[in-house]
Amino acid sequence: MKKISCLGILSVLIISPAFAEYSADDFVAEVTRGLDLIGAQANVDTPDAAPGELGLDVYQTADAGYNDEIQMFIPTSMYVRAGAGMNLPFATDAAHVGDVAYDSRNSWTTQIGLGWNLSSYVRTEIDFQESTFEFSDIDNAGASYQTLGGMLYFDFARRYVQTGDITYRRRFVPFMGVGAAAGGYQFDGPGGAGGFVIAAPRATLGFNVMLNDLIGIDIMYQYQMMIGNGFGWDVRAGGVDNISNIMASFRVNF
């Protein structure tokens, strides 16, 4: 029994250096392979998420790519408009029959338009407007006009504010506009002084409130100096009359 134990111990002592030598080499090889893999991964280029193209104006939402709570607004280049307005009798010239004046009342204007953003402060627009007039102290008589016009608008604040790679949309932007329009108008009833009319200048002053990234509301005062055949019935062949409206319209950017 003693001889068997001695032989077992001797066998272990003879074999153990071989295992020790194998384990050391294997460890060194494993570490080397691991370092090589880490180096290879470190050298791989991973492109950053593209922030999107920042261009002219207004507001389209895109994920910033690295923070779910940060949104980037990519400016758009065009918009459409649709709305209506109420005539302001105290700021509108009265219609006449000879020397008798009749103030406007219950008078409305509708508007549709197409606009382009030229820069962060300037935009231009073409629009069509149709107005219907009624008058105080006179029944069964009215007037209407239709005009096609062009406007140049100036915003008093940037519609978007860029901070680094992120562009934030501004919610409230005041603006003014100036332009001209041309068309025709007609007074109902005998002796109505209708015909061709030029609205020059046409001027506006108002503000825009964005409801979301693409849709906003414009509230504005609009003044038009109407150059035409007079404003009323049996009036002079030429004349200049002033018309004022308060307008509200939806502006949809795309």
Side-chain angles (χ1 to χ4, degrees):
M1 191 63 151
K2 186 175 181 181
K3 290 181 179 180
I4 295 174
S5 300
C6 291
L7 288 174
I9 294 172
L10 181 61
S11 299
V12 171
L13 292 176
I14 293 171
I15 295 172
S16 59
F19 278 107
E21 183 179 354
Y22 173 80
S23 299
D25 291 343
D26 186 57
F27 175 76
V28 171
E30 257 187 61
V31 171
T32 302
R33 284 197 303 273
L35 292 174
D36 290 341
L37 288 174
I38 292 173
Q41 292 175 357
N43 291 329
V44 174
D45 292 331
T46 55
D48 295 332
E53 181 182 357
L54 297 177
L56 295 176
D57 249 310
V58 206
Y59 337 107
Q60 174 182 339
T61 303
D63 183 11
Y66 51 84
N67 189 329
D68 293 337
E69 297 180 358
I70 296 178
Q71 296 293 317
M72 181 180 67
F73 301 95
I74 302 175
T76 61
S77 58
M78 298 182 67
Y79 63 87
V80 292
R81 173 195 304 284
M86 179 178 65
N87 178 254
L88 300 176
F90 62 87
T92 296
D93 287 349
H96 291 80
V97 178
D99 294 331
V100 182
Y102 298 94
D103 294 330
S104 64
R105 68 174 183 182
N106 301 329
S107 302
W108 301 90
T109 297
T110 57
Q111 177 191 38
I112 58 173
L114 177 65
W116 292 263
N117 298 296
L118 304 180
S119 75
S120 58
Y121 291 100
V122 182
R123 51 193 169 88
T124 187
E125 182 180 320
I126 58 173
D127 77 331
F128 174 79
Q129 293 190 27
E130 181 172 9
S131 294
T132 301
F133 287 90
E134 295 181 3
F135 300 94
S136 61
D137 303 322
I138 184 170
D139 296 325
N140 302 320
S144 63
Y145 72 79
Q146 301 83 32
T147 59
L148 182 66
M151 296 289 293
L152 189 63
Y153 288 98
F154 302 91
D155 292 328
F156 296 146
R158 294 183 67 95
R159 291 187 294 281
Y160 64 91
V161 179
Q162 185 173 346
T163 303
D165 292 333
I166 307 301
T167 302
Y168 298 93
R169 169 182 52 79
R170 195 184 297 274
R171 184 177 298 274
F172 178 86
V173 177
F175 64 83
M176 64 172 292
V178 63
Y185 70 105
Q186 181 64 46
F187 279 77
D188 300 328
F196 181 73
V197 65
I198 296 176
R202 174 190 283 177
T204 65
L205 182 65
F207 58 88
N208 168 256
V209 178
M210 293 304 298
L211 303 179
N212 58 35
D213 297 336
L214 296 177
I215 301 175
I217 294 178
D218 286 348
I219 306 294
M220 64 184 181
Y221 164 75
Q222 175 180 265
Y223 165 79
Q224 297 181 96
M225 187 172 74
M226 310 293 286
I227 304 171
N229 290 336
F231 200 67
W233 298 263
D234 298 322
V235 296
R236 63 191 187 280
V240 174
D241 297 281
N242 303 291
I243 296 178
S244 294
N245 296 305
I246 287 292
M247 308 287 292
S249 59
F250 286 99
R251 196 199 311 177
V252 181
N253 303 284
F254 63 94

